[in-house]
Structures are given as C-alpha cells and as structure tokens.
Amino acid sequence: MRKCPNESDLTRVLEGGLPPETEQQIEDHVEHCRRCERALAEQPVDEALVEKLRDMERNRRENASALSRLPETKRTLTTTLFGNDWKAAGPMQA
Amino acid sequence: MTTMLSQTNTELLGDLIGPKNERAWSECYQRYAPLVIAFVKRMGFSDSAAADVLQETFIAVSQDFLGRDQPFDRSKGRFKSWLCGVARNKALDVLKKGKAKQHQVISAGPHGGLDLDMLPDLEDAEKAERRWEEDWRRNLVRIAMDQIAMEFGSATVQAANLLLIDSLPAARVAKLLGKSTGAIHLAKHRVLKRLRQIVAALVEKEG
C-alpha cells in the first residue's frame, strides 16, 4: 500500500473489523510510514487502563520473590492432593 | 500451558467437583495462586509464610470441592468472597502457628518496612475483603495480560510494557526490539484494546 490509510481505516486497524488482507496491507504501510507513525502516536490512550496495568506490574514486581516459589508450592500441593504431578499443567507463570 | 480463559470461572469451578480433575486444578492454581500471594504479602507475610498460606488455602479448597456433589452455589455467595474467607482464615492460622512456634511469619514488607499496620485488616473480615477486592481486580489484569501474551505473542506484550509501564520512548523500544516505531505504537493500541475487552468480560463473569 503506497497511499496512507485514511483516519477511519487506521482506527479500524486498531479496533478490528477490516478484512485480514487489508489489515495486513495497512500494518505493512504503517511500519514504514513516518506520517502514519505520528498519527498512531497521537491516538489517545485510556490512561485509567494504563494506570491499572502499571499498578498490576508494580505489584507483580514487588512480589517477584514470593511468586517465584509458585511452581515449588504447586509441586508440593499436587503431591499432597493427587499423589503425582499434574501432567496437564504447563510451566507456571509467576 | 492451558488456554487461560478457555473456561469461564463457573465452568472451571464445575470441573473441580467430584473426580479429581487435575487440569481444572492446575488452571485454578494459575488463576488464583498469585492472588493469594499478593493478598498475604501486602499483610507483611514472609515469602515462606505466604507459601504456607497458599498451600493451606488450596488444600482447604480442594477438600471442599472434592467432597461436593453440587456445583458451587452462587446464590449462597460468590466464589470471590468465599475464597477470600478461606485465604484469610488460613493466613490467621499460619500467623497463630508461627507465633506459637516463635517462627518469623511477618517479614520486611515490599518497601523494606514491617507492614504490621495491615494485620488488623486481616483480623477484620470487612477490611480484609476490601483488601481482597483490590487484589482481585489487579489479578484480573494479570490474567488478561497472560491471555494477551498467548494471543499476540510475548514480543507484542513486551513492546507495550516497555512503552506503557517502563515509559521508554517509542523509538528506543523500537530499537531494542528491532521493530519500527509504527509497529510499537500498533502493539500498544492493540494490547490496550484487548486488555479492556478481556477485563470487562472477566468483571462481568467473575465480578
């Protein structure tokens, strides 16, 4: 796509609802277009949501050492509850 | 890792009943173990004591659900409040046992000081529930971000985190990740949009 997408299409790329092929074309364009890059940078973000994200991450970092024990506690629990490991379980995300 | 949101909370709780459903338990652990840890760590529990509370909480939940023949009865209260009650009681038990054995249950808090001021909140059911509610909301964001990492890939989430949480300039994030600045802004908007959707859905389903 050579021509910059209009504002409506740019918004729809963010919101969804464009055919995948069109979406991909716009994405490819945006990745290399300074003008569209600026337009995206100027799109407002939901600051309240960003603050919730920051708050969650602060909490996760504060509790990092305790959260790092989760897989170990899980192993102990599975042995206690089931007598073997939970085979279906993947790696625990702290 | 299982798909984190493949089941609603109600379906997940239903699967915990009766025969030992290991997958449901694993998913339950992934959803709620970090919540229990966050709750007791804020009260000033040491890492080791927090792990004890977590273990005791899950054993109690297990004993309750494995002995059930009926689904969790939402009319008698929400799972959220019930789990808070279990975690709070187990935290108080661990505290009492620690005191009896002269073990150090309370340790330096996340900011380096003792959070003894939080202890009355643990003993007061209403205050504890208010604390739990804050941690519960935070946990929904965590669950949503884990889901987004599975959907979009960790690189997209990393881009959004560096930009939004660590407040790095977009150009620097782009350089760090070997992407264009436009791609970084796209990642940011997409992550936020999906985060809003998932959190809204979780709040609707789980409160």
Side-chain angles (χ1 to χ4, degrees), chain B residues 145 148-149 151-164 173 177 179 183-184 186-192:
Chain B
M145 287 304 284
I148 290 168
E151 289 178 7
F152 294 167
S154 56
T156 301
V157 170
Q158 193 185 6
N161 282 348
L162 288 169
L163 198 63
L164 297 167
V173 177
L177 301 181
K179 305 267 185 191
I184 300 302
L186 264 177
K188 168 188 74 178
H189 287 296
R190 285 201 160 138
V191 165
L192 285 175

Short mmCIF file of all heavy atoms in Angstrom, two decimals, chain B residues 145 148-149 151-164 173 177 179 183-184 186-192:
data_model
loop_
_atom_site.label_atom_id
_atom_site.label_comp_id
_atom_site.label_asym_id
_atom_site.label_seq_id
_atom_site.Cartn_x
_atom_site.Cartn_y
_atom_site.Cartn_z
N MET B 145 -3.47 -10.03 30.88
CA MET B 145 -2.19 -9.84 30.21
C MET B 145 -1.55 -11.18 29.84
O MET B 145 -0.90 -11.30 28.79
CB MET B 145 -1.23 -9.02 31.08
CG MET B 145 -1.60 -7.54 31.15
SD MET B 145 -1.72 -6.74 29.53
CE MET B 145 0.01 -6.54 29.08
N ILE B 148 -3.33 -12.17 26.75
CA ILE B 148 -2.88 -11.36 25.60
C ILE B 148 -1.52 -11.86 25.10
O ILE B 148 -1.28 -11.93 23.89
CB ILE B 148 -2.84 -9.87 25.99
CG1 ILE B 148 -4.27 -9.34 26.16
CG2 ILE B 148 -2.09 -9.04 24.95
CD1 ILE B 148 -4.38 -7.98 26.80
N ALA B 149 -0.65 -12.24 26.03
CA ALA B 149 0.67 -12.76 25.62
C ALA B 149 0.50 -14.03 24.80
O ALA B 149 1.24 -14.28 23.84
CB ALA B 149 1.53 -13.03 26.84
N GLU B 151 -2.19 -14.74 22.96
CA GLU B 151 -2.85 -14.40 21.69
C GLU B 151 -1.92 -13.67 20.72
O GLU B 151 -1.89 -13.97 19.53
CB GLU B 151 -4.07 -13.51 21.96
CG GLU B 151 -5.22 -14.24 22.62
CD GLU B 151 -6.39 -13.31 22.90
OE1 GLU B 151 -6.37 -12.15 22.48
OE2 GLU B 151 -7.33 -13.76 23.56
N PHE B 152 -1.19 -12.68 21.24
CA PHE B 152 -0.38 -11.81 20.37
C PHE B 152 1.10 -12.18 20.34
O PHE B 152 1.84 -11.68 19.51
CB PHE B 152 -0.49 -10.35 20.83
CG PHE B 152 -1.86 -9.72 20.68
CD1 PHE B 152 -2.15 -8.52 21.29
CD2 PHE B 152 -2.85 -10.32 19.92
CE1 PHE B 152 -3.41 -7.93 21.17
CE2 PHE B 152 -4.10 -9.75 19.79
CZ PHE B 152 -4.38 -8.56 20.41
N GLY B 153 1.53 -12.98 21.29
CA GLY B 153 2.95 -13.30 21.41
C GLY B 153 3.62 -12.37 22.41
O GLY B 153 3.18 -11.23 22.62
N SER B 154 4.67 -12.88 23.01
CA SER B 154 5.29 -12.13 24.10
C SER B 154 5.98 -10.85 23.61
O SER B 154 6.10 -9.88 24.34
CB SER B 154 6.29 -13.01 24.85
OG SER B 154 7.22 -13.53 23.95
N ALA B 155 6.41 -10.82 22.33
CA ALA B 155 7.09 -9.63 21.82
C ALA B 155 6.15 -8.42 21.79
O ALA B 155 6.56 -7.30 22.11
CB ALA B 155 7.64 -9.90 20.43
N THR B 156 4.90 -8.65 21.43
CA THR B 156 3.92 -7.55 21.39
C THR B 156 3.68 -7.01 22.80
O THR B 156 3.63 -5.80 23.02
CB THR B 156 2.59 -8.05 20.78
OG1 THR B 156 2.85 -8.53 19.47
CG2 THR B 156 1.55 -6.96 20.72
N VAL B 157 3.53 -7.94 23.75
CA VAL B 157 3.30 -7.53 25.14
C VAL B 157 4.53 -6.81 25.69
O VAL B 157 4.42 -5.81 26.40
CB VAL B 157 2.93 -8.75 26.00
CG1 VAL B 157 2.92 -8.40 27.48
CG2 VAL B 157 1.56 -9.29 25.58
N GLN B 158 5.70 -7.32 25.32
CA GLN B 158 6.94 -6.68 25.78
C GLN B 158 7.02 -5.24 25.26
O GLN B 158 7.40 -4.32 26.00
CB GLN B 158 8.14 -7.49 25.30
CG GLN B 158 9.43 -7.09 25.98
CD GLN B 158 10.63 -7.82 25.41
OE1 GLN B 158 10.54 -8.55 24.42
NE2 GLN B 158 11.78 -7.61 26.02
N ALA B 159 6.65 -5.06 24.00
CA ALA B 159 6.66 -3.71 23.42
C ALA B 159 5.73 -2.78 24.19
O ALA B 159 6.11 -1.66 24.56
CB ALA B 159 6.25 -3.77 21.94
N ALA B 160 4.52 -3.26 24.44
CA ALA B 160 3.54 -2.44 25.17
C ALA B 160 4.02 -2.16 26.59
O ALA B 160 3.89 -1.03 27.08
CB ALA B 160 2.19 -3.15 25.19
N ASN B 161 4.60 -3.15 27.25
CA ASN B 161 5.07 -2.97 28.62
C ASN B 161 6.21 -1.95 28.71
O ASN B 161 6.23 -1.11 29.60
CB ASN B 161 5.54 -4.31 29.21
CG ASN B 161 4.38 -5.17 29.64
OD1 ASN B 161 3.23 -4.71 29.71
ND2 ASN B 161 4.64 -6.43 29.93
N LEU B 162 7.14 -2.06 27.77
CA LEU B 162 8.27 -1.13 27.80
C LEU B 162 7.80 0.31 27.58
O LEU B 162 8.30 1.24 28.20
CB LEU B 162 9.30 -1.51 26.73
CG LEU B 162 10.12 -2.78 27.02
CD1 LEU B 162 10.91 -3.20 25.79
CD2 LEU B 162 11.07 -2.56 28.19
N LEU B 163 6.81 0.44 26.73
CA LEU B 163 6.28 1.77 26.41
C LEU B 163 5.39 2.31 27.53
O LEU B 163 5.54 3.45 27.99
CB LEU B 163 5.48 1.67 25.11
CG LEU B 163 5.20 2.94 24.34
CD1 LEU B 163 6.48 3.58 23.86
CD2 LEU B 163 4.31 2.62 23.13
N LEU B 164 4.47 1.47 27.99
CA LEU B 164 3.44 1.96 28.92
C LEU B 164 3.84 1.86 30.39
O LEU B 164 3.48 2.71 31.19
CB LEU B 164 2.14 1.16 28.71
CG LEU B 164 1.49 1.31 27.34
CD1 LEU B 164 0.41 0.26 27.14
CD2 LEU B 164 0.92 2.71 27.18
N VAL B 173 12.21 1.75 22.30
CA VAL B 173 11.60 0.41 22.34
C VAL B 173 11.77 -0.26 20.98
O VAL B 173 12.12 -1.44 20.88
CB VAL B 173 10.10 0.49 22.72
CG1 VAL B 173 9.46 -0.90 22.69
CG2 VAL B 173 9.92 1.12 24.10
N LEU B 177 13.80 -3.75 20.30
CA LEU B 177 13.11 -4.95 19.81
C LEU B 177 13.30 -5.19 18.32
O LEU B 177 12.76 -6.16 17.77
CB LEU B 177 11.61 -4.86 20.14
CG LEU B 177 11.27 -4.72 21.64
CD1 LEU B 177 9.75 -4.66 21.84
CD2 LEU B 177 11.85 -5.88 22.46
N LYS B 179 12.12 -3.40 15.83
CA LYS B 179 10.87 -3.14 15.10
C LYS B 179 10.83 -1.67 14.69
O LYS B 179 11.63 -0.85 15.18
CB LYS B 179 9.66 -3.41 16.00
CG LYS B 179 9.62 -4.79 16.61
CD LYS B 179 8.81 -5.70 15.73
CE LYS B 179 8.66 -7.06 16.38
NZ LYS B 179 8.10 -8.03 15.46
N ALA B 183 5.24 0.07 14.38
CA ALA B 183 4.84 -1.25 14.89
C ALA B 183 4.68 -1.23 16.41
O ALA B 183 3.80 -1.88 16.97
CB ALA B 183 5.87 -2.30 14.48
N ILE B 184 5.53 -0.44 17.07
CA ILE B 184 5.46 -0.34 18.54
C ILE B 184 4.16 0.34 18.96
O ILE B 184 3.47 -0.10 19.89
CB ILE B 184 6.69 0.44 19.09
CG1 ILE B 184 8.00 -0.27 18.72
CG2 ILE B 184 6.57 0.65 20.61
CD1 ILE B 184 8.11 -1.69 19.21
N LEU B 186 1.43 0.43 17.21
CA LEU B 186 0.34 -0.52 16.89
C LEU B 186 0.19 -1.53 18.02
O LEU B 186 -0.93 -1.83 18.47
CB LEU B 186 0.67 -1.27 15.60
CG LEU B 186 0.08 -0.75 14.29
CD1 LEU B 186 0.59 -1.61 13.14
CD2 LEU B 186 -1.44 -0.73 14.31
N ALA B 187 1.32 -2.05 18.49
CA ALA B 187 1.30 -3.04 19.57
C ALA B 187 0.64 -2.44 20.82
O ALA B 187 -0.20 -3.08 21.46
CB ALA B 187 2.73 -3.49 19.89
N LYS B 188 1.01 -1.21 21.13
CA LYS B 188 0.46 -0.53 22.32
C LYS B 188 -1.06 -0.45 22.23
O LYS B 188 -1.77 -0.84 23.17
CB LYS B 188 1.06 0.88 22.40
CG LYS B 188 0.39 1.80 23.39
CD LYS B 188 0.93 3.23 23.26
CE LYS B 188 0.41 3.94 22.03
NZ LYS B 188 0.86 5.33 21.90
N HIS B 189 -1.57 0.04 21.10
CA HIS B 189 -3.02 0.21 20.96
C HIS B 189 -3.74 -1.13 20.99
O HIS B 189 -4.81 -1.26 21.57
CB HIS B 189 -3.34 0.95 19.66
CG HIS B 189 -3.00 2.42 19.72
ND1 HIS B 189 -3.64 3.29 20.57
CD2 HIS B 189 -2.08 3.16 19.05
CE1 HIS B 189 -3.14 4.51 20.42
NE2 HIS B 189 -2.19 4.46 19.50
N ARG B 190 -3.14 -2.11 20.36
CA ARG B 190 -3.80 -3.43 20.30
C ARG B 190 -3.86 -4.07 21.69
O ARG B 190 -4.87 -4.66 22.06
CB ARG B 190 -3.04 -4.34 19.35
CG ARG B 190 -3.31 -3.94 17.93
CD ARG B 190 -3.02 -5.09 17.01
NE ARG B 190 -3.71 -4.87 15.76
CZ ARG B 190 -3.18 -5.10 14.60
NH1 ARG B 190 -1.96 -5.56 14.53
NH2 ARG B 190 -3.88 -4.90 13.51
N VAL B 191 -2.76 -3.98 22.41
CA VAL B 191 -2.73 -4.58 23.75
C VAL B 191 -3.77 -3.90 24.64
O VAL B 191 -4.53 -4.56 25.35
CB VAL B 191 -1.31 -4.48 24.37
CG1 VAL B 191 -1.34 -4.75 25.87
CG2 VAL B 191 -0.38 -5.48 23.68
N LEU B 192 -3.83 -2.57 24.57
CA LEU B 192 -4.79 -1.86 25.43
C LEU B 192 -6.23 -2.18 25.05
O LEU B 192 -7.09 -2.34 25.93
CB LEU B 192 -4.55 -0.35 25.35
CG LEU B 192 -3.32 0.16 26.11
CD1 LEU B 192 -3.11 1.65 25.87
CD2 LEU B 192 -3.45 -0.11 27.61
#
